[in-house]
């Protein structure tokens, strides 16, 4: 239980660890600058500003009286219409505005979805290594985050047989995150589609978090074919983040896509925990979805370029092994098996001025890894990692 409180609070909250990123960022206060400016590769923050046209529209919306008022629970109509049309274009399926809900970021989308699909004592399969906010959310809801192992030798892609063996009467959903946080792994379309078939057969939901969908490798345009058949409506819930794709994380805008009947149920939760998503970005996004496709493609190309530069920077250092890389992230095996991941990450931050996150933040069995959010910084900064890591001793 948390200390320093006059009265006890819910153990479901008290027993959850503190948010890990502020802990890691605190290490940087001990870095003396010997190797140059801090290279912050800890948090998945867009490494570019919003498009100027987006900034203009955000400013106009923020300065309007309408932007200061409550909006519809499930999101403003023009945004839901534009987003549904964009989904239908990308996935070549039939998706209606009523099949969508706008949320205050993708973490809110996940939290509300889990509240709708499971209750205390139930379980949800989470791919491991997992995104720590997913695990924290489930713990606070009293839902078991049951690890679905994703192995390095399989490219950190989950296997059907592992999931099947973990499903019992208490499991209500399987979560997939692709492109993955923390590993960067991109799940092949047949894997995502196979998990949907498994969930349909077992009578549970498949929740696909596609926060980083707009940063897929070049040539991968339709991530999967789930929406090409009407059968998705009984099983699939998709989550998305406008925050990353349009470089507006401070405006907290995400989305849920599910059958309209399920969206209607989730709206009860959204009414209680957000009332409505922030209005400023909702007013600007319908224009951006249609008008900034080329800009988003340019950002995608730049992020893919940064991934390549990161690979090149580590090529002279084979003891630092990149086990997976994609979208915003690389999952790195550090060369100090006798040390904990946190000890390695902390010393790297305090002595070399390179901040990344220890694998232990992402679930059991991850002490040998570090997560690198390479999208945060420019290619010129990434190229300097060779000398920052050379000769480092944990």
């Amino acid at each position: 239980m948390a200390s320093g409180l006059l009265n006890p609070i819910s153990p479901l909250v008290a027993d959850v660890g503190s948010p890990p990123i502020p802990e890691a960022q605190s290490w940087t206060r001990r870095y003396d600058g010997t190797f140059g400016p801090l290279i912050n590769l800890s948090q998945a923050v867009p490494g570019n500003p919003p498009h100027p046209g987006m900034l203009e529209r955000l400013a106009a919306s923020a300065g309007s009286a309408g932007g200061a008022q409550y909006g519809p629970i499930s999101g403003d109509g023009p945004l839901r219409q534009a987003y549904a049309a964009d989904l239908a274009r990308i996935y070549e399926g039939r998706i209606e505005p009523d099949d969508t809900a706008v949320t205050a970021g993708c973490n809110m989308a996940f939290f509300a979805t889990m509240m709708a699909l499971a209750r205390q004592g139930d379980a949800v399969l989470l791919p491991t290594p997992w995104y720590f906010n997913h695990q924290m959310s489930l713990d606070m809801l009293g839902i078991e985050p049951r690890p679905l192992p994703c192995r390095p030798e399989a490219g950190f892609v989950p296997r059907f047989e592992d999931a099947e063996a973990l499903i019992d009467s208490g499991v209500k959903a399987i979560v997939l995150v692709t492109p993955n946080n923390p590993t960067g792994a991109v799940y092949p379309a047949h894997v995502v589609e196979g998990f949907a078939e498994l969930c349909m057969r077992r009578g549970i939901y498949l929740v696909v978090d596609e926060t980083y969908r707009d940063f897929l490798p070049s040539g991968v345009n339709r991530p999967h074919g789930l929406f090409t058949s009407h059968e998705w409506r009984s099983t699939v819930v998709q989550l998305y983040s406008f925050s990353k794709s349009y470089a507006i994380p401070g405006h907290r805008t995400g989305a849920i896509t599910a059958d309209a009947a399920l969206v209607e149920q989730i709206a009860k939760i959204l009414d209680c925990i957000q009332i409505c998503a922030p209005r400023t970005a909702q007013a600007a996004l319908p224009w951006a979805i249609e008008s900034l496709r080329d800009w988003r493609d340019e950002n995608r190309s730049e992020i893919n370029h940064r991934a390549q530069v990161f690979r090149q920077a580590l090529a002279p250092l084979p003891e630092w092994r990149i086990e997976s890389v994609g979208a915003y992230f690389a999952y790195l095996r550090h060369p100090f098996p006798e040390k904990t991941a946190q000890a390695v990450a902390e010393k790297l931050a305090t002595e070399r001025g390179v901040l990344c996150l220890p694998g232990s933040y992402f679930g059991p069995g991850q002490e040998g890894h570090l997560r690198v959010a390479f999208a945060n910084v420019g290619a010129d900064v990434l190229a300097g990692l060779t000398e920052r890591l050379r000769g480092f001793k944990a």
Side-chain angles (χ1 to χ4, degrees):
M1 295 293 289
S3 60
L5 298 172
L6 294 177
N7 294 299
I9 65 170
S10 167
L12 294 177
V13 174
D15 292 344
V16 170
S18 298
I21 287 180
E23 176 188 35
Q25 290 175 338
S26 71
W27 303 334
T28 64
R29 292 196 288 269
R30 307 202 311 270
Y31 173 57
D32 63 8
T34 299
F35 285 83
L38 174 72
I39 301 177
N40 189 342
L41 306 172
S42 63
Q43 192 169 16
V45 178
N48 57 282
H51 186 276
M54 185 70 172
L55 289 173
E56 290 174 8
R57 286 163 175 81
L58 290 170
S61 176
S64 70
Q69 296 176 352
Y70 285 133
I73 295 169
S74 294
D76 290 2
L79 175 54
R80 295 174 76 191
Q81 185 171 2
Y83 181 54
D86 198 46
L87 288 174
R89 179 187 62 82
I90 293 169
Y91 293 98
E92 302 173 6
R94 183 172 178 177
I95 301 169
E96 304 294 340
D98 285 348
D99 299 325
T100 68
V102 183
T103 62
C106 198
N107 274 347
M108 178 73 80
F110 180 83
F111 198 91
T113 298
M114 291 301 107
M115 286 186 72
L117 302 187
R119 62 182 178 180
Q120 186 172 349
D122 289 337
V124 168
L125 301 191
L126 278 190
T128 309
W130 54 39
Y131 172 45
F132 46 75
N133 282 149
H134 285 174
Q135 173 256 324
M136 292 169 69
S137 295
L138 292 175
D139 279 346
M140 284 188 280
L141 291 169
I143 301 167
E144 176 195 350
R146 190 170 296 179
L148 172 58
C150 300
R151 299 174 175 85
E153 60 269 22
F156 291 101
V157 174
R159 303 190 308 170
F160 311 126
E161 55 266 39
D162 292 332
E164 183 100 55
L166 292 168
I167 297 172
D168 57 26
S169 61
V171 172
K172 304 304 179 186
I174 298 174
V175 174
L176 300 181
V177 182
T178 179
N180 187 260
N181 179 4
T183 66
V186 177
Y187 301 171
H190 76 272
V191 171
V192 180
E193 293 156 12
F195 269 96
E197 293 172 4
L198 170 62
C199 289
M200 190 177 303
R201 176 163 51 83
R202 297 301 295 264
I204 61 178
Y205 283 94
L206 177 66
V207 179
V208 186
D209 184 332
E210 295 189 80
T211 292
Y212 300 96
R213 182 195 68 206
D214 292 329
F215 305 98
L216 286 165
S218 177
V220 181
N221 295 317
R222 193 184 76 176
H224 52 74
L226 293 183
F227 295 117
T228 59
S229 167
H230 72 278
E231 293 178 344
W232 73 269
R233 294 182 173 279
S234 67
T235 304
V236 175
V237 180
Q238 187 222 40
L239 311 180
Y240 178 71
S241 170
F242 297 101
S243 303
K244 299 295 192 297
S245 299
Y246 298 91
I248 53 170
H251 285 281
R252 309 308 306 133
T253 318
I256 299 169
T257 301
D259 182 72
L262 180 55
V263 170
E264 186 176 351
Q265 297 300 314
I266 292 174
K268 300 174 186 177
I269 300 167
L270 296 177
D271 185 39
C272 294
I273 60 178
Q274 71 172 26
I275 300 182
C276 67
R279 304 295 308 288
T280 300
Q282 289 195 71
L285 280 166
W287 167 83
I289 288 172
E290 184 65 30
S291 300
L292 295 186
R293 287 202 183 109
D294 289 345
W295 180 82
R296 295 200 306 275
D297 284 343
E298 290 171 5
N299 287 340
R300 172 186 181 180
S301 296
E302 174 59 23
I303 296 302
N304 286 331
H305 172 62
R306 292 178 192 181
Q308 182 59 33
V309 171
F310 179 76
R311 290 190 189 96
Q312 293 169 352
L314 267 66
L317 307 170
E319 67 274 18
W320 295 87
R321 191 163 77 246
I322 301 173
E323 293 201 325
S324 184
V325 62
Y328 262 53
F329 305 107
Y331 211 51
L332 191 62
R333 181 171 289 278
H334 65 74
F336 308 103
E338 74 286 358
K339 300 287 187 178
T340 66
Q342 181 158 333
V344 175
E346 184 171 357
K347 195 167 185 182
L348 194 59
T350 58
E351 293 191 1
R352 296 297 178 102
V354 177
L355 180 62
C356 49
L357 298 185
S360 52
Y361 284 1
F362 302 98
Q366 305 304 313
E367 288 292 356
H369 292 91
L370 303 176
R371 189 196 77 172
V372 178
F374 60 79
N376 291 14
V377 299
D380 57 331
V381 177
L382 292 169
L385 287 174
T386 309
E387 294 309 314
R388 292 284 183 115
L389 295 178
R390 195 189 302 276
F392 173 74
K393 301 294 183 184

